[in-house]
Amino acid sequence: MTQAQAISKTIERVLNAGLMSNKSDGDFHPEAIVTRAELASILAKTFKLEKRNTAAKEDIEVKDVSRDRSDYSAIQLVLKTGVMSGYREGMFFPHQKVNRAEGFAIFAQAYGVFQFSEDTVAEILGQYPDAGEVPDWAKKAIATALQEGFVNTDVYLQILPLNPMTRTDMAFALSQYLDKQQQASFSQ
C-alpha cells in the first residue's frame, strides 16, 4: 500500500467513525491546519468528555467564544474537564492554529498522560533527533503520545513538534486510538 493509499484509508476510517468530518465544501483537506476549536470538537467526541465528572461544572466564561457557536459545547467540555485551557483574560482563541507539540500533548491529556519518570521520558524522546524542540511543558504528554503510537513519525522519523498539526496528523492519531479501543474490546 502506498503512503497516499494509507492516508486515504486512515481518513476514511475516522470519517466513518464520526470523529472528524469533511469541511463545508465536502472535502477533507488533509493538509489543512487544525485549529483550537476543531481540536476541542474532535476531543470532545473521541473521548466522550461529556461523561467525565468535571463536565457537569458551570460553564466557563470565554470572551471570544459566543454561545451561538456550533462548537460552543465542545469548547466548554475541554475547558471544564481540563483537557485544554484558555489563555489570558478569558480568551480561548478558537481560530488559532495548533502545532504538533500542542496537538499531540492535548490529545495525550484527553487520553490520559502516563506518569513516566523523567528518565523514561528522556529515553522515549531520545529516539528522535528533534526531541530537543519539544517544549518542556509538553515532554511528558508527547512521550505518552509517542509510546502509544499516536504520533505519525514513520515518514520523517521525527516528531516535528513545531510544525503545524494537519488534519492528516489528527486522523492518524485518531486511527491509532481506534486500534487501541478495538484491541481492548478483543481482550475483554
Side-chain angles (χ1 to χ4, degrees):
M1 180 181 319
T2 68
Q3 182 183 354
Q5 290 170 322
I7 290 170
S8 180
K9 184 178 175 184
T10 296
I11 291 168
E12 183 179 335
R13 182 177 190 200
V14 298
L15 288 172
N16 289 338
L19 301 180
M20 291 180 81
S21 55
N22 286 326
K23 295 283 192 173
S24 59
D25 66 1
D27 288 332
F28 186 78
H29 297 278
E31 295 308 313
I33 310 304
V34 175
T35 64
R36 286 177 51 82
E38 183 178 16
L39 182 60
S41 294
I42 291 167
L43 297 178
K45 277 186 246 175
T46 302
F47 296 104
K48 299 174 178 47
L49 297 182
E50 75 281 356
K51 294 184 178 185
R52 296 190 182 181
N53 291 339
T54 52
K57 291 180 182 176
E58 293 285 321
D59 279 2
I60 296 169
E61 183 182 348
V62 186
K63 295 176 185 174
D64 59 348
V65 178
S66 63
R67 289 183 179 272
D68 61 350
R69 287 180 62 108
S70 61
D71 52 12
Y72 177 82
S73 62
I75 291 169
Q76 284 296 319
L77 283 171
V78 296
L79 291 171
K80 291 190 280 189
T81 58
V83 168
M84 291 176 78
S85 57
Y87 284 98
R88 65 197 171 283
E89 301 171 14
M91 305 291 274
F92 185 76
F93 297 112
H95 303 291
Q96 180 176 305
K97 297 186 181 339
V98 176
N99 68 31
R100 286 170 53 99
E102 294 164 329
F104 289 126
I106 293 168
F107 190 92
Q109 179 67 28
Y111 177 73
V113 176
F114 294 163
Q115 297 305 311
F116 291 132
S117 68
E118 286 187 34
D119 289 343
T120 302
V121 169
E123 183 181 324
I124 293 168
L125 294 177
Q127 299 172 49
Y128 301 92
D130 61 344
E133 296 175 23
V134 175
D136 288 341
W137 62 265
K139 286 184 177 178
K140 189 172 277 195
I142 294 292
T144 296
L146 287 164
Q147 184 71 22
E148 291 298 293
F150 298 143
V151 182
N152 49 339
T153 58
D154 296 343
V155 176
Y156 303 108
L157 303 175
Q158 296 183 57
I159 304 166
L160 305 171
L162 304 179
N163 283 12
M165 176 171 245
T166 66
R167 288 174 52 84
T168 298
D169 294 331
M170 180 52 63
F172 180 88
L174 292 167
S175 182
Q176 296 299 102
Y177 173 75
L178 289 171
D179 283 348
K180 294 204 168 297
Q181 297 308 299
Q182 197 171 35
Q183 290 168 2
S185 67
F186 284 139
S187 65
Q188 292 178 357

